[in-house]
Amino acid sequence: QAQVQESGGGLVQAGDSLRLSCVASGRTFSNVAMGWFRQAPAKEREFVGGVNWNGKNTYFMDSVKDRFTISRDNAKNTVYLQMDNLKPEDTAIYYCAASAYSYIVSLRTAYNYWGQGTQVTVSS
């Protein structure tokens, strides 16, 4: 059964860094884009950023583009979200998702495999 699973969340202070990992299993995901989404309490789930199938292209939402990076290791079926200079407003559950496309798409409907999410809490 194909699935993706996030890890690496936690409680950090403002200005700290955190790296989330997403491991895919059950089928090959090396030919599809991967995305990271987040959902804060009482808010809609939003697209944070994505990486295309070969890792050469990334795209981020404006509020994180100077602080977050995404990379992937297709040999390990793993995608990483490096988050630097974290802010309290980054507090959310972070989800990894596998797209149906090889290129980056920000729409939730383009993603057909989702992880359970990992909590990131940033204290001020």
Side-chain angles (χ1 to χ4, degrees):
Q1 180 178 353
Q3 59 181 0
V4 296
Q5 181 63 58
E6 314 88 343
S7 63
L11 172 62
V12 297
Q13 294 186 331
D16 286 350
S17 297
L18 206 57
R19 188 177 80 159
L20 306 183
S21 299
C22 171
V23 179
S25 61
R27 52 151 281 187
T28 182
F29 288 94
S30 60
N31 58 344
V32 298
M34 299 293 291
W36 287 94
F37 291 75
R38 70 185 183 186
Q39 187 166 16
K43 292 189 176 181
E44 293 289 320
R45 190 172 301 187
E46 63 180 357
F47 175 78
V48 175
V51 59
N52 76 326
W53 72 277
N54 63 7
K56 291 187 177 182
N57 292 314
T58 58
Y59 179 81
F60 297 92
M61 63 186 299
D62 287 344
S63 63
V64 307
K65 65 181 180 180
D66 294 327
R67 301 183 293 119
F68 291 11
T69 56
I70 294 177
S71 60
R72 66 187 298 166
D73 184 341
N74 284 340
K76 296 182 178 179
N77 294 321
T78 303
V79 179
Y80 305 97
L81 176 65
Q82 177 67 40
M83 305 183 292
D84 297 322
N85 190 22
L86 282 161
K87 303 177 179 181
E89 51 264 41
D90 294 319
T91 295
I93 298 174
Y94 283 71
Y95 298 90
C96 173
S99 173
Y101 306 95
S102 62
Y103 50 90
I104 302 167
V105 181
S106 62
L107 295 175
R108 288 173 54 185
T109 54
Y111 294 80
N112 47 17
Y113 294 96
W114 291 83
Q116 295 297 310
T118 185
Q119 177 71 48
V120 172
T121 303
V122 185
S123 64
S124 58

